[in-house]
Amino acid sequence: MTQQKIDLNFKPAAKLTTDDLNPLAINAKYAVRGKIAARAEELKEILKKDPSSVPFPEVINCNIGNPQQLDQKPLTFYRSVLSLLQSPSLLKNENISELFPADVIQRATDLISNIGSIGAYSNSQGVKYIRERVADFISKRDGEPSSPNDVFLTSGASTAVNYLLTALCVGNDTGLLIPIPQYPLYTATLALNNSNPIPYYLNEENNWSTDPIQITQAIEENLKKGIKINGLVVINPGNPTGAILEESDIRDLITIAAKYGFVLIADEVYQENIFNGKFISFKKVLRVLQRENPDGKYDNVQLASLHSTSKGVSGECGQRGGYMELVGFDPAVEAVILKLASISLCSSVSGQSLVELMCNPPTQGESSYELDHTERLSIHNGLNERAISLWKSFQNMKGVSCIKPQGAMYLFPKITIPEKAIAKAIELGEQPDEYYCSQLLENTGICAVPGSGFGQKKGTYHVRTTFLAPGTSWVKRWEDFHNKFIEDFA
Amino acid sequence: MTQQKIDLNFKPAAKLTTDDLNPLAINAKYAVRGKIAARAEELKEILKKDPSSVPFPEVINCNIGNPQQLDQKPLTFYRSVLSLLQSPSLLKNENISELFPADVIQRATDLISNIGSIGAYSNSQGVKYIRERVADFISKRDGEPSSPNDVFLTSGASTAVNYLLTALCVGNDTGLLIPIPQYPLYTATLALNNSNPIPYYLNEENNWSTDPIQITQAIEENLKKGIKINGLVVINPGNPTGAILEESDIRDLITIAAKYGFVLIADEVYQENIFNGKFISFKKVLRVLQRENPDGKYDNVQLASLHSTSKGVSGECGQRGGYMELVGFDPAVEAVILKLASISLCSSVSGQSLVELMCNPPTQGESSYELDHTERLSIHNGLNERAISLWKSFQNMKGVSCIKPQGAMYLFPKITIPEKAIAKAIELGEQPDEYYCSQLLENTGICAVPGSGFGQKKGTYHVRTTFLAPGTSWVKRWEDFHNKFIEDFA
């Protein structure tokens, strides 16, 4: 069959520009990997080529909770099992018992017999066996039953947020309640889905707690404006705030969700990073409220709880493991979320396996227990010490206030920026805290994220910093920079 | 500070239902993991409980290109290196050289020294070193230079499609040209992004080739209707068709992209699965056209080429590795795509490492070469034999026609469904090929995907089947079923 030929005498068209693209994609903002982070990468290259051209010995990445990029070592148990899942033939090596402890071999054998090859696509919701093990973990954590059918294994928590928001955002007359300050994944995903972030402010004066009256006001105002509210996002322990919610706060938030019938999204990825206070899951509090109210007032609550292998003492960000548990959802709604998951086929099966390991670490009596326990304790205590030490430094800086570290991987100090520095920032077309962070980076090599990337009350300025970087010399550089900055702009 | 209390005397709201959700998410369809695949999973459970209750010994998953779910073994070289990346301490074991060949140890050492820990988030575009290695591979494959700055490491090819389409879809007066039949990832992602699939039909009579005149007509018609066209998708080798495009077809498609100025998305994930014919990349043909036309007629062409570790002889679907190369894009457009990637942080770093291994397998003289070469050949030949054997069976089935296997992992036979069977399907509210596939599944345990899930010319019916499943007894079951089906509905 001969085909007709096309005309080769054509006038070529211009390339697409950003004017031709989806404005939702153009307008979405994601500060954690924004301009300052990009400049930090440039500075690293400059440092390599000519160390004398910058006034600091190294770039310190405090902009992202990425422990293993700094000096955190992975947990040996996790990595040993994952190593065997990649190379199952090692299990048949006659010297295998000299290479790995018995419980590592057993765990790898169990996982392989239930998963098959980690090179095969799994069910889009995740390997059933792993979901069962996650449900066991949740049941033990909360003392409340959990079903593997409601557990979805995801690529970190980001994918879970993506599925939930894609389902819940119905155009620009819908919205989700978002804490301010918030992790910008939420506003970015809302922007991509053409829905409104409805801000509710966290109470900095009261340890960054939630204020139910203010949240109710925000809801009522938006309902009056005709905005349909499909969800309420809570991050606990808080990102960027580092705060932990009290049980009473959680009860209030669940009550609000029960009253208004929207989905409560509990981002609980920092549940292992607790330095001062106690983590209580939303699921547990919900079950308590349901028992306390046999009239069924809390029976309609829909809760999505997110967890991740990227945080905690695991810190396995690059492995992309995570899960979400959907509690109380309409099965037809769960089916839509499963369809969204199925379009990207499945999350990394090696990452899924890591979720199993995170949920079921070695227990006392098992051969890896002692080492694993020691490693966990050392990571946890190291983070705690660094948090306290950084916090103490902020106490020494003029015009800086910061709550005592409670949880997560961040401090979010409030910085009083001098009027003259604010004027300078405006002159440069920058936010004042962006100017502060960019000066901090250029002068000390410390890369932190301006509070404006997370949202903050008008007229206040903050900086988010992790406390993951080792050593104390960089903290001293920050102190010196800060005091000079204040002086220069006095 | 005491907070005001909220009112606990509230009337609880109803749960959200699908009526409250994003209609774009509700309406998106994804047949590969649809109703029939779900029923196959149910049948597996039924088989476990009571094998005598179904008329077949096993469920055969021909619905998805998932080689390691069936009996394909992973390549030893890949897995050995990945195993060491998970457990770098093994590299320090004194017996390491008894466990792994020298080139495995060397490769793992090189990767670790360039990546650091695979547990750390990488750059959102992917580890720079791995992008350099991918660019080397592309340069060698095509004999044309490639830059690591234009390479994005992704979670399989699905994420690449997601980023590209999110950027290119600007609401319901825009669209992308999509081959029919197509892999439903494209229509599903277009649906989620509220843009139009503009179908162009592949020529079944001419080995499922592309027809530039028909494509041009589709473009002109849609432009007249006021639809802005931002992209043209080509899948080569074809999914579901299994066909390979000729160089002349590729030249025509690039010419169309040059004339109209939209992005050409070349889904080339099956580039290693070639049984009959030759794979030529769009990038190579573009560079040839650019040299042949010094007037610059092809200089504006924007090409996104996708590849994946899930297909080829790798078949590492569960590891979620892939890349896309952006050729000729406006840097500001590339920046938008990078921002979209940054919102999900990064793809699995273990998956990224696998991309490096796929792009740079052991070469002659290296210690793993012989084994690796043998394994690759055996997988490739095995697939070829199964493809031919299944194709021959289709020749024996009445009213079935199928092109000779050329590439990819699929056959897409056309099935003449008897009028009475069509009437039965309509009675059941099903598509005729859906009814055929569901009967095939219930009677033989073979799970294939109806052509209606991929799109097909009106009044024609197809089935997509992989040829990955081992053995021949299932093929015999299909033959017997088919002939009985035709007879029953004669």
Side-chain angles (χ1 to χ4, degrees), chain B residues 390-398 400-404:
Chain B
L390 183 57
W391 173 71
K392 283 189 179 151
S393 294
F394 286 134
Q395 313 292 347
N396 297 336
M397 297 187 205
K398 214 178 145 183
V400 173
S401 70
C402 184
I403 68 163
K404 201 169 173 198

Side-chain angles (χ1 to χ4, degrees), chain A residues 1 3-18 20-23 25-28 30 33 64-66 68-69 79-80 82-83 85-88 90 93 99-100 117-124 158 166-170 183 185 188-189 192 203 206 209-213 216 228 230 249 252 255-256 258-261 263 297-300 302 310-311 315-320 328 330 332-333 336 339-340 342-350, chain B residues 1 3-18 20-23 25-28 30 33 64-66 68-69 79-80 82-83 85-88 90 93 99-100 117-124 158 166-170 183 185 188-189 192 203 206 209-213 216 228 230 249 252 255-256 258-261 263 297-300 302 310-311 315-320 328 330 332-333 336 339-340 342-350:
Chain A
M1 200 175 110
Q3 292 191 333
Q4 237 183 297
K5 298 278 177 231
I6 59 164
D7 182 13
L8 295 176
N9 274 323
F10 63 90
K11 194 177 158 293
K15 284 185 198 200
L16 297 185
T17 68
T18 49
D20 300 298
L21 301 189
N22 181 355
I26 303 285
N27 295 331
Y30 190 65
R33 297 206 157 192
I64 187 159
N66 192 8
Q68 293 186 28
Q69 178 195 33
R79 293 303 197 88
S80 303
L82 292 178
S83 178
L85 297 186
Q86 288 290 2
S87 211
L90 275 183
N93 187 295
L99 291 169
F100 295 108
S117 170
I118 60 167
Y121 292 126
S122 72
N123 179 305
S124 297
S158 303
T166 301
L168 293 175
C169 290
V170 196
Y183 178 52
L185 167 64
T189 313
L192 285 175
N203 234 326
N206 192 21
S209 60
T210 49
D211 174 354
I213 299 298
T216 308
K228 184 167 185 313
N230 273 346
D249 294 329
D252 286 344
T255 300
I256 291 171
K259 179 170 174 187
Y260 291 99
V263 171
K297 220 153 55 174
Y298 288 87
D299 288 1
N300 276 345
Q302 305 143 95
S310 304
K311 311 300 170 188
E316 293 277 15
C317 306
Q319 309 255 15
R320 313 310 288 129
D330 179 313
V333 172
V336 172
K339 183 176 64 184
L340 292 175
S342 77
I343 294 173
S344 43
L345 296 166
C346 68
S347 62
S348 152
V349 181
S350 164
Chain B
M1 200 175 112
Q3 293 191 333
Q4 237 182 300
K5 297 282 175 225
I6 59 165
D7 182 12
L8 295 176
N9 275 323
F10 62 90
K11 194 176 158 295
K15 283 183 198 201
L16 296 186
T17 69
T18 50
D20 300 299
L21 301 190
N22 181 356
I26 303 286
N27 295 331
Y30 189 66
R33 299 207 155 190
I64 187 158
N66 192 8
Q68 294 187 26
Q69 178 195 34
R79 293 303 197 88
S80 303
L82 292 178
S83 179
L85 297 187
Q86 287 290 1
S87 211
L90 274 182
N93 188 293
L99 292 170
F100 294 108
S117 170
I118 61 167
Y121 291 126
S122 72
N123 179 306
S124 296
S158 303
T166 301
L168 293 175
C169 291
V170 195
Y183 178 53
L185 167 64
T189 312
L192 285 175
N203 235 327
N206 192 22
S209 59
T210 48
D211 174 354
I213 300 297
T216 307
K228 183 167 187 311
N230 273 346
D249 294 329
D252 286 344
T255 300
I256 291 172
K259 179 171 172 185
Y260 292 100
V263 171
K297 219 149 60 172
Y298 287 87
D299 288 1
N300 275 345
Q302 305 143 96
S310 303
K311 311 301 171 187
E316 293 277 15
C317 307
Q319 309 256 17
R320 313 310 288 125
D330 179 313
V333 171
V336 171
K339 182 177 62 184
L340 291 175
S342 78
I343 294 172
S344 43
L345 297 166
C346 69
S347 63
S348 151
V349 181
S350 164

Side-chain angles (χ1 to χ4, degrees), chain A residues 211-223:
Chain A
D211 174 354
I213 299 298
Q214 191 228 111
I215 294 174
T216 308
Q217 279 164 359
I219 294 170
E220 293 294 342
E221 276 164 28
N222 278 278
L223 291 176

